[in-house]
Amino acid sequence: MPSYQLRSVWGPFSTIVNLLTFFVGLGLFLTALIVPLTLIGGSGTVGIEGDRDGQLCAHAGDLPVEDVPTKGDYSEQIGEVESRVDVVPIELLVCEPLKGLDHKAVKYSLKAMTEVPTFAVYLVFLFGIRRVMIQTDRGGPFGHETARLLTRLGWWLFGGLIAATLIETTAESLLIGTMVKGQTSGWAELDFPAVMILGALGIVGVGRVLKQGARLQDDVEGTV
């Protein structure tokens, strides 16, 4: 059985995976830390700054392009545009100032839940990739354990991204509801990461192929 030498087998790819795991883990840690820090800070100077400075914001969807006012000065953000060019800011945000924010614990928890689930899914996925890399180096690409890990990893990414999107959309909808009179929930735009979900199914497919390869390798070894 080959010795475990992850770097010699995978080269720069292992470094990339390690860096991604670190930064995604750091992002998840900082995002989860926002809520208690903000509640301890009390004044709104520490914690989630929302999508605008000093405000807690929820994304309520996009406006139809034909209903968006195109007049306005956006030169500070994008520079000066040509005279015949319109700037169309279609994103619709619902924002509330952090100062004097009521039900702070609920709103900051909901805001955190609009970001944490996807971070968590990707972090577990990256740790899973590391396990697959280690197992491949130890048992070869056509080992039963490698195929099993890769298949499970694909299903995790597939189901995890769908669940994370539903959780984040629900949290954002409830957050909108806390800012709109006469409603307990709004409805945020449901936007599944289609490319990543299809990629997850592709990983499952590769795992199934490797599983078949492992069976064929067993048959060959059994006839030698």
Side-chain angles (χ1 to χ4, degrees):
M1 182 177 296
S3 60
Y4 168 54
Q5 294 179 337
L6 182 61
R7 180 172 296 275
S8 64
V9 173
W10 293 97
F13 183 70
S14 64
T15 303
I16 294 173
V17 171
N18 289 335
L19 288 174
L20 285 174
T21 304
F22 171 78
F23 284 116
V24 172
L26 180 63
L28 178 62
F29 173 76
L30 293 177
T31 302
L33 198 63
I34 281 171
V35 175
L37 284 180
T38 302
L39 295 177
I40 293 172
S43 63
T45 57
V46 179
I48 299 176
E49 292 298 323
D51 296 294
R52 301 175 65 187
D53 290 341
Q55 293 185 324
L56 180 69
C57 295
H59 180 238
D62 297 331
L63 293 171
V65 174
E66 60 271 13
D67 295 338
V68 177
T70 57
K71 302 301 180 183
D73 184 10
Y74 303 99
S75 58
E76 184 176 342
Q77 289 80 17
I78 62 173
E80 186 176 356
V81 299
E82 298 290 341
S83 58
R84 57 182 290 166
V85 175
D86 286 332
V87 179
V88 184
I90 65 173
E91 187 176 30
L92 183 62
L93 297 178
V94 181
C95 299
E96 184 176 0
L98 291 175
K99 188 175 182 179
L101 189 69
D102 60 340
H103 305 295
K104 182 177 291 188
V106 173
K107 291 181 179 179
Y108 274 90
S109 296
L110 289 174
K111 180 64 178 180
M113 288 305 296
T114 66
E115 301 174 2
V116 168
T118 295
F119 271 114
V121 170
Y122 284 135
L123 183 61
V124 173
F125 176 71
L126 288 170
F127 276 115
I129 288 179
R130 287 173 53 82
R131 284 194 63 190
V132 170
M133 292 165 63
I134 293 171
Q135 183 58 41
T136 300
D137 189 65
R138 288 175 174 173
F142 295 109
H144 288 281
E145 185 65 15
T146 300
R148 185 184 68 84
L149 288 174
L150 195 61
T151 302
R152 291 178 61 181
L153 188 61
W155 283 124
W156 163 261
L157 187 61
F158 176 80
L161 287 176
I162 292 176
T165 301
L166 292 174
I167 292 171
E168 290 172 358
T169 302
T170 301
E172 193 128 40
S173 298
L174 292 173
L175 182 58
I176 293 171
T178 66
M179 303 181 190
V180 179
K181 291 183 178 180
Q183 295 190 30
T184 56
S185 67
W187 184 246
E189 183 178 0
L190 189 62
D191 186 16
F192 289 103
V195 174
M196 294 300 298
I197 290 175
L198 291 175
L201 291 178
I203 293 174
V204 173
V206 172
R208 295 291 179 85
V209 171
L210 292 181
K211 183 177 181 180
Q212 185 63 25
R215 290 174 177 172
L216 292 174
Q217 182 170 306
D218 289 344
D219 292 341
V220 171
E221 291 175 353
T223 57
V224 174

